[in-house]
Amino acid sequence: MSPCRLTPSEEKSKVLIDSNWGSRYIPAERKLLSFDPWNLIRVMPAKGSAFFRKLPAASENSRLPIPGAFFMIEIKNFTKSFHNRLVIGDFSLFAREGTLTALLGPSGCGKSTFFDLLMGNISRDGGKLFLSGKEIPHLKGTAAYMSQKDLLLPWLTLRENALLPIAVKKTPSASDIREAEELFELLGLSGSGDLYPRHVSGGMAQRCTLARTILFRTPIVLLDEPFSAVDAITRQTLRSLLLLLRSRFRKTLLMITHDVEDALLLADSIIILSSAPMTAREKLAIPTPKENRQGDPSLQEKKERILAMLQEKVS
């Protein structure tokens, strides 16, 4: 398979469009997509398409993907109480640009409350939040949120649901619609844009939600157990798609999960949480390249260690 000829602008941006796969600096994508038993991931957008040309140019010293030259998100000493009961106690988190941080803890420990604090849905009692070094009150307008339920509007088609982040601000342009269609192609939803949520499977609905999350066009994505409502095979495909989209769009992700395997296969770092009041018990870095994680014996050791920690009774 020979790559197409580079245009001068592509030479400058160091992006080589391959007839199937995109940037030569992301060869791991071939392995990321190795598990796709239902062939949900079909054909990448055509070579030279606007989908790839929209990628910003990489500098001479920063080839893709390089997670995190600096802290995109700094969360310092968050606290929150309800009715004199401490729910989140002195919690801090630092996430580098382009990384995925998994929050893994027992049910009821305060994970979803933490996301509400980040989005400004409820006020925190104490602590500071920084985005790229600048203190901000919350992430509203800066982060997209994807929950375990697809939350698609039943009276809108899949295409209209995906375009909702744009439609609430303006009428989607032809370029916006084309971008949505290219995302649908990437996510294995080609030809499904005119269907309504009641006509599609849970996996298709969640992939539409993933497209909508990307179309928020925010640098940060908050994922609240995004795969918990789908079957095991669809979960595997969605994992691959999430990694692919992260490398394409350079998002910084925080993911709440109860699934140790999701955390180990997807995350750059895992924060083990205590029971309420929520604090960080331990942070684990996962240096193994994501395309090589299936079957890595060191991850099995980490899995057993994490499970043992989660099963401990934390006072």
Side-chain angles (χ1 to χ4, degrees):
M1 179 170 58
S2 61
C4 65
R5 185 181 300 276
L6 293 177
T7 66
S9 62
E10 286 166 349
E11 283 282 1
K12 184 177 179 180
S13 65
K14 295 293 187 294
V15 174
L16 177 60
I17 304 301
D18 179 292
S19 60
N20 287 313
W21 291 97
S23 171
R24 65 179 169 186
Y25 293 128
I26 318 178
E29 287 181 355
R30 300 173 187 271
K31 292 186 178 180
L32 292 180
L33 302 179
S34 60
F35 189 97
D36 186 22
W38 289 353
N39 194 28
L40 296 177
I41 309 164
R42 295 182 178 86
V43 181
M44 297 287 285
K47 60 185 179 183
S49 72
F51 184 81
F52 289 129
R53 294 182 189 277
K54 289 175 185 174
L55 288 173
S59 69
E60 291 296 325
N61 298 319
S62 62
R63 295 181 175 181
L64 287 177
I66 300 179
F70 61 91
F71 287 123
M72 171 69 80
I73 306 170
E74 297 176 75
I75 298 161
K76 298 182 178 179
N77 311 113
F78 267 29
T79 59
K80 180 63 182 178
S81 297
F82 291 109
H83 306 294
N84 297 319
R85 177 176 176 267
L86 188 63
V87 177
I88 296 177
D90 197 27
F91 181 79
S92 298
L93 181 153
F94 303 89
R96 294 190 180 276
E97 181 186 26
T99 59
L100 192 156
T101 302
L103 303 175
L104 194 60
S107 296
C109 72
K111 299 185 294 296
S112 296
T113 299
F114 172 62
F115 271 14
D116 282 334
L117 296 178
L118 285 180
M119 294 300 289
N121 297 330
I122 56 177
S123 60
R124 57 184 180 271
D125 297 337
K128 294 184 178 182
L129 173 64
F130 296 85
L131 178 67
S132 301
K134 180 181 178 181
E135 186 173 359
I136 57 174
H138 50 68
L139 292 177
K140 193 171 292 183
T142 307
Y145 178 84
M146 181 175 172
S147 72
Q148 55 187 296
K149 298 178 181 178
D150 59 70
L151 300 180
L152 299 179
L153 299 180
W155 58 88
L156 297 180
T157 65
L158 295 190
R159 183 187 299 105
E160 290 167 338
N161 268 286
L163 287 166
L164 200 56
I166 299 168
V168 296
K169 300 176 182 178
K170 66 182 182 73
T171 301
S173 65
S175 176
D176 295 327
I177 295 171
R178 187 163 54 250
E179 183 178 356
E181 292 296 341
E182 289 174 338
L183 267 174
F184 272 29
E185 183 179 355
L186 178 61
L187 292 168
L189 292 173
S190 295
S192 303
D194 294 324
L195 299 178
Y196 288 87
R198 64 181 179 275
H199 297 146
V200 302
S201 67
M204 292 178 70
Q206 199 69 342
R207 280 180 276 144
C208 179
T209 304
L210 199 52
R212 182 178 62 189
T213 302
I214 295 298
L215 289 172
F216 270 99
R217 297 168 177 164
T218 59
I220 298 167
V221 176
L222 306 182
L223 304 166
D224 191 351
E225 300 189 63
F227 310 139
S228 62
V230 298
D231 61 82
I233 295 178
T234 303
R235 176 189 290 260
Q236 288 277 33
T237 298
L238 287 172
R239 283 172 179 166
S240 295
L241 287 169
L242 181 63
L243 291 175
L244 175 63
L245 292 176
R246 193 193 71 163
S247 68
R248 278 273 171 255
F249 296 95
R250 310 179 204 179
K251 303 291 186 181
T252 302
L253 300 102
L254 302 181
M255 181 177 73
I256 289 173
T257 182
H258 288 103
D259 192 292
V260 177
E261 190 170 310
D262 277 349
L264 287 171
L265 292 177
L266 296 174
D268 298 287
S269 60
I270 301 172
I271 297 179
I272 312 298
L273 305 172
S274 69
S275 56
M278 188 183 91
T279 57
R281 296 186 63 191
E282 187 170 342
K283 181 175 180 178
L284 301 176
I286 313 294
T288 309
K290 294 177 180 61
E291 64 273 16
N292 297 331
R293 290 188 183 181
Q294 290 280 4
D296 183 348
S298 69
L299 294 190
Q300 181 60 35
E301 295 173 6
K302 284 187 171 68
K303 181 177 181 179
E304 292 172 359
R305 179 183 172 189
I306 291 170
L307 288 172
M309 291 181 68
L310 293 175
Q311 289 167 1
E312 292 175 5
K313 183 175 178 61
V314 181
S315 59

